[in-house]
Amino acid sequence: MSSSTDIRKHSQGGKGRAARPTPKGRQIDPQALDDVQALLGTRSRQRDLLIEHLHLIQDRYGHLSAAHLAALAYEMKLAQAEVYEVATFYAHFDVVREGEKAPPPVTVRVCDSLSCEMFGGQKLLTELTAKHGKGDKIRILRAPCMGACDRAPVCAVGHDQVFQASPAKVDAALASHAHHPAKPGKDFTAYVADGGYALLRAGLEGRKTRDDIIKAVDDSGLRGMGGAGFPTGRKWQLVRKEPGPRLMCVNGDEGEPGTFKDRHYLEIDPHRFLEGMLIAAWVVEAPDVYIYLRDEYPQIREMLLAEIAKLEAAGLSQATRIHLRRGAGAYICGEESAMIESIEGKRGLPRHRPPYVAQVGLFGRPTLVQNVETLFWIRDLVEKGAAWFTGHGRNGRKGLRSFSVSGRVKKPGVKLAPAGITMQELIDEFCGGMADGHSFKGYLPGGASGGILPATMANLPLDFGMLEAHGCFVGSHAVVVLSDKDNMKDVALNLMRFFEDESCGQCTPCRVGTEKAVKLMARPKWDEPLIAELSQAMADASICGLGQAASNPVKSVLKHFRGDVL
């Protein structure tokens, strides 16, 4: 570790040259270096921990000053440009450049994504801004989806979320300064008492083989629940064929507006997920597994750290080291290669393919990437048998699906329903029907990027591969129900603004296309030929799914809801 006294020494000039009073480049402030060294303590200075260390500074001081960023770069032996490009990429880092004023000590973020806007999020933002936005103690910011769409509108006071928020509730949260860590629905002791980790032990002790586990998962037809729907057993086999050492990543960055199922399962039964994760890591022989959890779930992160410590103390992670990494407010990191870049301590920019992450993933190694919910089902599938899972389903589909339902229904929330259920069945049987005073008009079957379908098409099976012919897809099964009180033109504009904000900026079709689309869609009358041409260019030329699917809601509205556009 370098001492702050080292940087006080003046460098000496060469022979015949006057000594420089200071080294070249931005100077390191000794106090800032002392601050950074004290925060990092004995933690490793390895490159991939850059984002973790930025969080330490942000949490302690409420922002990232130029002096602290320069000191961190010095301490980690990185170019200052490397630190700045990462710090300025993520929305939850507040970079304060030289000469700029630090932000107020308290930040209130108000969600402006679709479900929250439907329930008064914009009105809440306006009221809070009028009340608190002019002082120097509190700042009010708009923010994207916070993963609590069933409790809209939502805002975050510091790191604590306020559900079904109102100005009065926000004021109460500001006054209390209370921090409420999450408590698991079933902790380690209760989970073990219910037979938990017996399956993992059976594998570690040789009573179950890796092929046994893969066959059970494969026979069940379990697919990736993060959105792509790739067969899980097949993915495990592909990764196992790659040369070791292999690694594993868990995608817990569910930033798609309307999605909150991973949060639900982590809250009610975290060890069922953790056991599934350790089983998967054991199957592909990954000595390290990295959990990437979105920064909007800080209480869940604290809870996971505590529960992981318990299972480690019990000797259950002897084959796999567990690393919990923290996102920093970037929807793009839900894309698997962008997530991997972020875990490596970089900007979350999607990679070109091939090679695929199963071949060249984290730190250049073959990597298994799975979603939280996918791993949650592993224990049940193996212990209860594939027939238990495939015994559920409707309309020719098999299995169970977790639907994150929000919007104009009486009972929003996570609904575990048969694969292939229709939208009308989901509303009637699992959501208590439409909210009072609302008539069913349309729905998003797969979050912001999955398109929009009219109520007249509510009899289609909601499952992988069933909606593509209609220009839509189920993705992560995030369902937002819309009514006659919702204008579809406004809905599409809200979704496109989300994509504009969340574009990583790497490729021109997405970066410029989403910005241009917002401007065109904000006009009183849409230029349909121009919007169609722009949508096609984005779909054809964008690097990743964000730009490729950003125009799906627009195309859906033009196709099914022309009355709201004209």
Side-chain angles (χ1 to χ4, degrees), residues 408 422-425 427-428 434 438-445 451-460 462 472 480-484 486 488 556 559-561 564:
R408 311 297 191 179
T422 68
M423 189 67 246
Q424 193 64 61
E425 291 169 338
I427 293 173
D428 294 341
M434 295 293 294
H438 291 266
S439 298
F440 185 27
K441 180 177 181 178
Y443 62 103
L444 279 66
I452 309 173
L453 290 170
T456 55
M457 299 176 70
N459 60 342
L460 297 173
L462 297 176
C472 297
V480 182
V481 182
L482 305 165
S483 79
D484 56 335
D486 301 307
M488 296 302 180
S556 296
K559 183 177 181 180
H560 300 297
F561 303 97
D564 285 7

Side-chain angles (χ1 to χ4, degrees), residues 199-316:
L199 179 60
L200 175 64
R201 291 183 189 276
L204 295 175
E205 295 168 4
R207 289 179 282 113
K208 282 276 189 182
T209 69
R210 292 178 170 86
D211 289 337
D212 291 337
I213 304 293
I214 289 178
K215 185 177 187 305
V217 172
D218 207 32
D219 289 347
S220 73
L222 180 66
R223 304 177 72 162
M225 298 301 183
F230 193 86
T232 303
R234 184 182 170 196
K235 180 184 283 190
W236 291 9
Q237 291 172 324
L238 291 173
V239 173
R240 283 192 72 199
K241 290 179 181 178
E242 297 295 325
R246 308 173 194 95
L247 297 173
M248 179 177 171
C249 295
V250 178
N251 193 337
D253 194 63
E254 56 174 358
E256 182 83 7
T259 309
F260 46 90
K261 61 184 178 60
D262 290 349
R263 175 183 193 153
H264 170 76
Y265 286 121
L266 289 173
E267 287 176 339
I268 65 170
D269 202 352
H271 285 280
R272 194 169 297 269
F273 149 69
L274 290 170
E275 182 173 12
M277 177 190 75
L278 290 173
I279 290 170
W282 171 75
V283 167
V284 300
E285 299 177 82
D288 292 270
V289 57
Y290 291 77
I291 306 171
Y292 189 85
L293 186 69
R294 68 181 310 202
D295 197 34
E296 287 81 356
Y297 297 166
Q299 287 80 15
I300 292 178
R301 177 177 173 273
E302 293 174 26
M303 177 267 288
L304 282 177
L305 285 171
E307 296 303 312
I308 288 170
K310 294 175 185 177
L311 73 86
E312 289 176 337
L316 292 167

